[in-house]
Amino acid sequence: MTSTSSIGIIKNALRNNVSVMRSHLADSTIISAVIKGNAYGHGVRVIVPVLEDIGISHFSVYSSAEAIVAQKAKNKKSTLMIMGFINSNDYEWVIKNEIEFYVSEIDELNKAIKTAKSLSKKAIIHIDVETGMNRTGLSLKELKKSIRILNMNKEFLTIRGVCSHFAGAESIANYTRIKKQFSVFKRRVKLLNQNDIYPELKHIASTAAAINYPETSLDLVRTGILIYGYWPSRETFIFSLQKRKEKTDPLQRALFWNSHVIITKTVPEGEFIGYGMSYQASRQMKIMVIPVGYADGYSRSLSNNGHVLVDGHRSPVIGSVNMNMIICDITDIPDVKIGDKVTLVGEQGDNEISFSSFAEMNQSLNYEILARLPENIERKLI
Ligand SMILES: *Cc1c(COP(=O)(O)O)cnc(C)c1O
């Protein structure tokens, strides 16, 4: 298939980022690579085998639909864990394939047991407990009820884990809430233990928690964003620096996205450029057209706002992002010609366009683009 742009995945960057995470963890702590959202836009089919090659053998997805894709990409030895939604019709497939999954509701627990019975095969579950995020997870009351159900159905279950999720470990503003959640989590684990339930893996930390609250890493951390080369927040980056000798960013962005120039032209001063009146040439300008638009995941919120790299320089997006094209200003980069490489995400010379999940306005827009990169653009492994 020919496409108007191409995405590259850099294996050495992934390898580097995994070892950065490793350096923050005890040797016994398992890294589960979070590959939801098509591996944060990087492409599950490419990412999974590469991470396996780098030494990762535990993967987390959100849903059974994502698990079906990941199952095809992974090797037999790797573990796959569903952290969220399982379609009722998929329980059988999930249990047959020994895919691990969260149980966040009594109803889900009952479905798991019923299916396991009918297949005569144990369901491998992680008990998701509510600790204060108030999103998913068993409340104390539901947990007590579940304990009775678990103990009556032990022959149909492998209780692999007990888990929860922090409500924003990337920001120090949530410090008190995070501390409280962790203490609730420890009490819930104790309650399970007192009732003769000893899950092998206790896990609650994502990337931010593993770095900002290392004591929460426990048996397994579910890390996504950092593996792809981004910090969950600026605070997390700064916190991680305190533990390092070199004060530079140790992460490497694992993805680049390139296209090329299809048209260049000169526009006289005073003319409007593109649809409507959102951009008017304030001087005689030179522009270029790139065949990538919002249909390709290049967010419309980058209208009059984003940048691309061409000929080693930053070139601003002017006017609105169209469905299949953007127009950029090259007035000060006069050597640009048709066919030149354009970097939408990645590096050229000393310049870099990157995405991150930083909460700041522009940065979070960038993150949105990453998650929306279409699945049908080919990912090349570098
Ligand atoms: C997305 C997610 C993670 C990973 O978060 P990162 O900040 O990308 O490390 C961990 N746990 C759960 C439940 C998630 O949904």
Side-chain angles (χ1 to χ4, degrees), residues 92 94-99 112-113 115-124 155-157:
E92 213 177 288
V94 166
I95 293 170
K96 259 189 198 158
N97 286 283
E98 297 176 16
I99 289 163
I113 292 168
T115 313
K117 270 185 195 165
S118 76
L119 294 172
S120 303
K121 190 169 172 76
K122 284 185 173 190
I124 312 171
E155 73 264 45
F156 305 113
L157 299 168

Side-chain angles (χ1 to χ4, degrees), residues 167-179:
E170 70 281 356
S171 169
I172 199 75
N174 303 322
Y175 182 84
T176 313
R177 191 172 174 198
I178 300 302
K179 286 281 174 180

Side-chain angles (χ1 to χ4, degrees), residues 34 36 40 83 102 135 165 205-208 222-226 232:
V34 178
K36 65 189 179 192
Y40 293 48
M83 305 184 290
Y102 280 28
R135 190 174 66 172
H165 189 56
S206 61
T207 302
R222 306 178 305 254
T223 182
I225 195 80
L226 183 138

Side-chain angles (χ1 to χ4, degrees), residues 207-252:
T207 302
I211 289 166
N212 297 346
Y213 306 89
E215 72 279 12
T216 66
S217 290
L218 306 176
D219 302 312
L220 176 148
V221 297
R222 306 178 305 254
T223 182
I225 195 80
L226 183 138
I227 287 180
Y228 307 107
Y230 306 90
W231 296 98
S233 65
R234 196 179 290 280
E235 281 173 41
T236 311
F237 169 47
I238 291 166
F239 198 87
S240 78
L241 286 186
Q242 293 172 0
K243 299 180 195 162
R244 291 171 53 84
K245 279 192 224 82
E246 315 94 81
K247 299 298 175 195
T248 51
D249 184 354
L251 297 183
Q252 296 168 12

Side-chain angles (χ1 to χ4, degrees), residues 50-337:
V50 176
L51 287 179
E52 284 175 337
D53 219 33
I54 291 168
I56 298 286
S57 58
H58 200 291
F59 295 92
S60 296
V61 293
Y62 174 70
S63 61
S64 52
E66 289 185 341
I68 289 167
V69 180
Q71 171 76 356
K72 288 187 195 127
K74 76 176 194 63
N75 70 34
K76 282 209 183 67
K77 282 185 229 142
S78 296
T79 303
L80 191 53
M81 177 170 82
I82 301 171
M83 305 184 290
F85 179 71
I86 299 178
N87 193 304
S88 291
N89 302 327
D90 290 340
Y91 274 92
E92 213 177 288
W93 178 83
V94 166
I95 293 170
K96 259 189 198 158
N97 286 283
E98 297 176 16
I99 289 163
E100 308 191 359
F101 57 99
Y102 280 28
V103 166
S104 311
E105 265 220 324
I106 292 191
D107 201 36
E108 292 173 359
L109 178 59
N110 287 331
K111 268 187 224 159
I113 292 168
K114 193 173 153 218
T115 313
K117 270 185 195 165
S118 76
L119 294 172
S120 303
K121 190 169 172 76
K122 284 185 173 190
I124 312 171
I125 63 168
H126 294 247
I127 303 165
D128 179 16
V129 294
E130 173 61 64
T131 54
M133 184 172 185
N134 294 308
R135 190 174 66 172
T136 63
L138 298 160
S139 67
L140 182 56
K141 198 170 148 207
E142 290 166 328
L143 183 63
K144 285 177 178 164
K145 201 172 159 195
S146 302
I147 285 171
R148 285 196 297 277
I149 301 174
L150 292 167
N151 278 331
M152 281 183 333
N153 290 284
K154 277 193 162 163
E155 73 264 45
F156 305 113
L157 299 168
T158 299
I159 305 168
R160 179 62 45 82
V162 51
C163 52
S164 191
H165 189 56
F166 288 125
E170 70 281 356
S171 169
I172 199 75
N174 303 322
Y175 182 84
T176 313
R177 191 172 174 198
I178 300 302
K179 286 281 174 180
K180 204 169 149 202
Q181 278 193 272
F182 194 48
S183 92
V184 172
F185 184 67
K186 286 190 285 195
R187 285 208 299 278
R188 297 295 177 269
V189 172
K190 202 165 160 196
L191 179 67
L192 287 168
N193 292 167
Q194 283 163 347
N195 285 279
D196 210 24
I197 297 169
Y198 296 92
E200 180 189 329
L201 301 175
K202 296 173 281 298
H203 55 104
I204 187 168
S206 61
T207 302
I211 289 166
N212 297 346
Y213 306 89
E215 72 279 12
T216 66
S217 290
L218 306 176
D219 302 312
L220 176 148
V221 297
R222 306 178 305 254
T223 182
I225 195 80
L226 183 138
I227 287 180
Y228 307 107
Y230 306 90
W231 296 98
S233 65
R234 196 179 290 280
E235 281 173 41
T236 311
F237 169 47
I238 291 166
F239 198 87
S240 78
L241 286 186
Q242 293 172 0
K243 299 180 195 162
R244 291 171 53 84
K245 279 192 224 82
E246 315 94 81
K247 299 298 175 195
T248 51
D249 184 354
L251 297 183
Q252 296 168 12
R253 263 47 81 186
L255 176 146
F256 62 81
W257 186 18
N258 288 335
S259 184
H260 54 273
V261 182
I262 55 166
I263 287 165
T264 64
K265 65 177 64 177
T266 302
V267 179
E269 181 183 339
E271 290 278 305
F272 291 102
I273 299 174
Y275 283 121
M277 296 191 288
S278 76
Y279 192 90
Q280 187 175 23
S282 58
R283 53 177 170 161
Q284 173 166 299
M285 290 180 71
K286 199 173 171 205
I287 59 161
M288 64 176 177
V289 177
I290 321 297
V292 169
Y294 59 80
D296 306 292
Y298 199 85
S299 175
R300 287 180 68 173
S301 42
L302 293 168
S303 298
N304 274 324
N305 191 7
H307 286 83
V308 302
L309 300 177
V310 65
D311 199 18
H313 298 279
R314 289 171 77 86
S315 161
V317 174
I318 59 182
S320 51
V321 172
N322 298 174
M323 190 184 285
N324 303 103
M325 280 183 278
I326 51 174
I327 304 169
C328 298
D329 179 5
I330 49 167
T331 311
D332 300 322
I333 325 168
D335 294 339
V336 174
K337 55 188 186 311

